[in-house]
Amino acid sequence: MKVTLQVLFVCLTAGIFLISSCEKTVDTPDQVIVPEGITEFVDDFETESNDLSLLFPPDGSRWTTLQLINTAGGNNQLALTAERVSLGNQSLSISSFGGNNPLSKTDIERGGFAAVAGQTITIEADFYIDSDANLRDLLLLDLECCSCWDPTVPDNKCPGVRLLMSGGNDFLSIERGKIGGETLLQTSLPFPRREWVHVVWEMTLSPDETTGHNRLIINEQEVVTETGMNMPDATILANAAAAEGISFTLPEPVFYERLQIGVTANPRDLEVDLFVDNVRVQVRD
């Protein structure tokens, strides 16, 4: 029997709903068809005007989804701006109010990847944080696998790895909680404020602690270089689910199909103003 998984993202900005779907065809709960994925993606947020919708063309060649979730009393905003740029004439401007009811999110998403174990993925971007606020638990970038969630278990969790502010209020680290791993912390370089910061995140993908490799570079300074899992593992997810009385089977093969960048989560009750520019992604064998 064929089962179709569909994840809908409904986003509201300037009174417009943007809806996108991520659909995979599954023969059994533990078998996933791996699509042909893009191996390179570059975007500097350049358009002929400051019309945000131009980042989402019908052919899917640029960004595929806008995610804007306001917490109670929040007024999150995304826009293209020439006010502050790292490359070219425009950048993505984000104003995000914090909160957990629901969890505040203000970001854009690029789908269409199919990065599997053994491949190396490199994600680069420039960030400008125009704030002195405590940024603890702020998430800037997610790499996720929606297809590797058991379709018999409701509420798709999209396991993956993320870049998280931790270790105080401004140390960018690699967060692995959604795949059952500990955060790869660094406290050697506080994230600079009110200046453009170039971030490079490189991973050799693996669900195994001994064969996965993780590097995080901030302004050409390597702050994390550690061996460790960075993909979902069937046993770890099954054990975590069993602890909650749930039977879980990891659909395989596992592949990362989307990234989200911006304020992918802002749980603290603080406003963050952020600019993003010069995004680069490469997947290679």
Side-chain angles (χ1 to χ4, degrees):
M1 179 179 70
K2 296 273 187 181
V3 179
T4 300
L5 306 181
Q6 189 170 46
V7 181
L8 295 180
F9 304 92
V10 182
C11 311
L12 173 62
T13 179
I16 300 173
F17 285 94
L18 299 177
I19 302 178
S20 173
S21 66
C22 171
E23 186 172 294
K24 306 293 175 202
T25 300
V26 183
D27 291 309
T28 65
D30 60 352
Q31 182 182 2
V32 174
I33 306 301
V34 181
E36 290 293 328
I38 58 175
T39 57
E40 288 193 65
F41 176 66
V42 176
D43 202 293
D44 299 329
F45 302 105
E46 300 299 303
T47 65
E48 294 180 357
S49 69
N50 63 352
D51 183 355
L52 189 69
S53 68
L54 296 177
L55 295 182
F56 307 90
D59 64 2
S61 58
R62 296 186 76 174
W63 300 93
T64 49
T65 307
L66 182 153
Q67 182 174 228
L68 194 154
I69 301 176
N70 279 301
T71 193
N75 185 26
N76 296 344
Q77 301 285 335
L78 293 98
L80 293 174
T81 182
E83 172 190 353
R84 185 169 285 113
V85 298
S86 172
L87 184 68
N89 299 305
Q90 293 181 159
S91 68
L92 182 68
S93 172
I94 295 172
S95 179
S96 176
F97 289 79
N100 241 329
N101 185 30
L103 180 60
S104 177
K105 299 183 179 185
T106 318
D107 60 74
I108 57 175
E109 174 185 310
R110 179 53 164 120
F113 297 96
V116 299
Q119 291 186 309
T120 297
I121 184 167
T122 303
I123 306 170
E124 302 184 49
D126 294 339
F127 296 94
Y128 187 111
I129 297 178
D130 193 14
S131 171
D132 292 321
N134 187 317
L135 300 179
R136 185 165 62 90
D137 297 335
L138 182 75
L139 290 160
L140 296 181
L141 201 158
D142 298 9
L143 182 64
E144 295 185 328
C145 171
C146 289
S147 63
C148 60
W149 189 259
D150 187 339
T152 66
V153 177
D155 190 17
N156 195 309
K157 299 296 186 182
C158 296
V161 284
R162 306 179 288 182
L163 292 187
L164 167 76
M165 291 291 183
S166 61
N169 73 342
D170 55 6
F171 291 98
L172 193 63
S173 301
I174 301 173
E175 199 274 336
R176 303 183 299 165
K178 291 179 75 175
I179 60 171
E182 295 181 353
T183 298
L184 302 178
L185 294 169
Q186 67 90 14
T187 55
S188 60
L189 179 63
F191 202 89
R193 309 291 187 95
R194 295 192 169 90
E195 65 179 73
W196 282 106
V197 180
H198 186 61
V199 174
V200 180
W201 184 18
E202 182 178 272
M203 291 174 289
T204 300
L205 298 174
S206 175
D208 186 86
E209 287 284 3
T210 62
T211 56
H213 190 68
N214 309 275
R215 296 177 71 223
L216 184 60
I217 302 167
I218 301 175
N219 282 345
E220 300 186 349
Q221 180 175 330
E222 189 173 70
V223 296
V224 174
T225 176
E226 290 192 36
T227 300
M229 63 179 292
N230 45 37
M231 297 193 83
D233 173 83
T235 301
I236 291 175
L237 290 185
N239 289 342
E244 299 182 13
I246 299 170
S247 176
F248 184 95
T249 299
L250 179 71
E252 294 180 306
V254 174
F255 58 96
Y256 282 130
E257 73 243 22
R258 74 179 192 184
L259 67 89
Q260 297 171 324
I261 192 167
V263 178
T264 64
N266 183 15
R268 301 289 167 179
D269 192 20
L270 293 166
E271 181 182 359
V272 174
D273 294 316
L274 171 72
F275 298 86
V276 182
D277 205 353
N278 192 23
V279 177
R280 303 281 189 273
V281 185
Q282 183 183 53
V283 180
R284 62 187 187 275
D285 294 326

